[in-house]
Amino acid sequence: EQVALDGADAVAIALFRSEATVANSLVRGTTGDPGHAVYIEGEGSLAIDSALVELNAGAGVVAIDAAVTIEGSIVRQNGGYGVAVQGEAEPSALTSSIVTENGSVGVFVSAAELRIDGSEIAATLEINGVGRLIEAQAGADIEIVGASALHDSENVGVLVDASRLTMEGGECWGNERGFWVQRTGEDQMVDGQAVVLDGVDVHDNGFVGIGGTEALGLVVRGGRVANTTIVPIVSRGRTIRAGDGIQALAGSVVVAENLRFEGNERAAALFDDSFGSIEGLGASGVSGSTVDVPKGPESAGIVIQGDMPMPDGFVGNNVEPVTLGGSAQLGFLADVLGVAPPAQVAP
């Protein structure tokens, strides 16, 4: 159905246990509470094709216990989340679309499945300390393919909290942190892998390109991690400075293979008490990679620190790790770097 809705009150399009298509449509300027543009709940499905969803007070598109497919559309400048998918349903999809300049989270996925293909997620605005491009929480499963572009969030670019995410190709740049993974475990793993970044170009982020705390099964292979800049971030009342390509903290198991580390202002890769292994995946470490260390007062290559002894063969290429101990360790407070996930959209 083709619609043009401008200035609706509360919710512009609301569907319950229904199947519908919104094509070649405009949904703009919804006001009031909750102020959502498009809302579907229950055992149904919604297809949005070639639509413009913008300038609504609440979220752009919300699907709760329902599947939504969005193709060739723009979701922008909404006061709430751009796209929110929550609860058990058939997998949802975001294809050849742009989600930009929305509030708090561009694409929010909680206990649901979403495939993102050839889309751009950008410029999420920080509200009450939250400004993320993509968030996966509560057992979500996100697949990103098709040269998707993730850039210019005012906070974490991609947050994976106790969820699964895979990304093949594409880019992530211009965020305060690029990818941040936390609290992943056996429930999220397939063959020991919970989060896989394959051939992704992660560059020009601040603080960390790819990192995590208690991040088990994080695999980064065949891409580039470059030009991470040293910036301070404030978390739970503490200020921490870093500019590392990869950070593995607090017992994380991170496997980095066939990467190019270029121009990261502090460590190319930092492993802090994160030297374990996972059956089916192998041990935490770096292999088959090249490391370019820029000339700078805080620059380093691969840094090993913490109380755990470094295992034999930890670094599987010709890069000699720098082992730091005592007061020489790079400053880290892993317990305050965890990111608090935001709330789900209320039904």
Side-chain angles (χ1 to χ4, degrees):
E1 180 181 358
Q2 181 174 341
V3 296
L5 298 172
D6 195 342
D9 182 53
V11 178
I13 299 174
L15 301 167
F16 298 89
R17 298 180 180 272
S18 303
E19 295 185 2
T21 298
V22 176
N24 303 306
S25 298
L26 168 68
V27 186
R28 172 191 289 154
T30 307
T31 61
D33 185 14
H36 303 327
V38 183
Y39 178 96
I40 181 170
E41 181 181 348
E43 300 173 356
S45 63
L46 171 65
I48 299 174
D49 188 5
S50 303
L52 175 59
V53 181
E54 66 175 1
L55 298 171
N56 299 282
V61 179
V62 178
I64 298 178
D65 298 327
V68 61
T69 59
I70 303 171
E71 184 169 1
S73 297
I74 299 174
V75 182
R76 68 185 180 193
Q77 297 175 332
N78 298 289
Y81 302 163
V83 176
V85 183
Q86 301 172 189
E88 295 185 4
E90 293 296 313
S92 293
L94 177 69
T95 304
S96 302
S97 294
I98 297 172
V99 180
T100 186
E101 297 179 84
N102 297 287
S104 297
V105 183
V107 176
F108 176 86
V109 185
S110 180
E113 297 181 47
L114 175 69
R115 177 183 170 91
I116 299 172
D117 188 349
S119 294
E120 180 179 4
I121 319 297
T124 304
L125 304 177
E126 187 170 7
I127 299 175
N128 296 325
V130 178
R132 300 162 196 160
L133 300 176
I134 297 174
E135 170 150 346
Q137 65 160 249
D141 190 342
I142 299 178
E143 179 185 14
I144 307 172
V145 297
S148 292
L150 317 175
H151 63 92
D152 293 311
S153 172
E154 293 187 353
N155 192 253
V156 178
V158 180
L159 172 66
V160 182
D161 181 82
S163 295
R164 177 170 172 78
L165 181 140
T166 61
M167 182 170 179
E168 182 176 347
E171 289 184 78
C172 176
W173 77 90
N175 307 291
E176 182 183 75
R177 303 186 221 181
F179 291 85
W180 189 258
V181 181
Q182 60 189 34
R183 303 193 304 163
T184 51
E186 292 185 1
D187 290 344
Q188 291 78 47
M189 291 181 188
V190 176
D191 297 328
Q193 304 173 79
V195 175
V196 179
L197 306 178
D198 193 345
V200 181
D201 190 359
V202 182
H203 63 91
D204 295 286
N205 296 287
F207 193 83
V208 61
I210 303 164
T213 179
E214 300 179 42
L216 301 181
L218 170 55
V219 179
V220 189
R221 64 165 71 99
R224 184 174 71 127
V225 184
N227 303 325
T228 311
T229 56
I230 295 175
V231 298
I233 68 170
V234 178
S235 181
R236 303 184 191 181
R238 304 293 294 271
T239 300
I240 308 170
R241 293 176 72 256
D244 304 333
I246 288 179
Q247 293 172 1
L249 312 177
S252 296
V253 175
V254 178
V255 174
E257 304 171 330
N258 304 320
L259 296 175
R260 289 180 292 132
F261 293 96
E262 301 173 357
N264 300 289
E265 280 196 326
R266 204 174 74 155
L270 169 70
F271 290 80
D272 186 314
D273 278 339
S274 296
F275 313 128
S277 63
I278 295 173
E279 184 176 355
L281 174 62
S284 205
V286 178
S287 64
S289 300
T290 61
V291 179
D292 165 48
V293 181
K295 294 181 180 179
E298 300 182 66
S299 298
I302 296 172
V303 176
I304 311 301
Q305 67 181 36
D307 298 326
M308 297 174 63
M310 185 180 72
D312 293 337
F314 176 77
V315 177
N317 58 358
N318 295 322
V319 179
E320 185 67 24
V322 177
T323 303
L324 300 181
S327 61
Q329 293 190 14
L330 297 181
F332 259 99
L333 297 169
D335 59 327
V336 302
L337 281 174
V339 179
Q344 294 185 350
V345 177

